[in-house]
Amino acid sequence: MKFTITRHSGYGAPADALELLWQRLESNRGGVSFTKAGPQLRAEVKKGAPGWMERSVRQEVDRLVVLNVVREVCEEAPELKFDWYAVGVLR
């Protein structure tokens, strides 16, 4: 499943928050691959939630996987704040 990572509007993220995160992300981490598409960051969960789950449940489970990777990266980098980022399903 594919997701976008954006700046969270409610937490005063700096204009370069996505670039700062991108500099710290590895192309693959925790079963998630990351790419940059223009100003947008994208994530794809490689082995996502089981197909027998309802789509909305699978989306939320996989979104949490991406969020956890972003959280780990932010915890390792004092210049990043986890609250700066939002993860949503790529439509």
Side-chain angles (χ1 to χ4, degrees), residues 10-67:
Y11 288 95
D16 64 345
L18 290 174
E19 185 61 36
L20 292 170
L21 179 62
W22 177 245
Q23 292 170 7
R24 294 291 191 151
L25 282 172
E26 301 163 15
S27 61
N28 286 292
R29 182 175 178 153
V32 181
S33 64
F34 296 93
T35 57
K36 187 172 183 189
Q40 217 180 48
L41 299 183
R42 295 187 178 169
E44 183 175 0
V45 177
K46 293 298 182 183
K47 292 185 180 179
W52 55 263
M53 293 178 153
E54 289 184 36
R55 182 171 178 78
S56 62
V57 174
R58 285 194 327 260
Q59 287 175 339
E60 185 59 18
V61 168
D62 289 351
R63 188 181 78 84
L64 291 175
V65 169
V66 175
L67 274 173

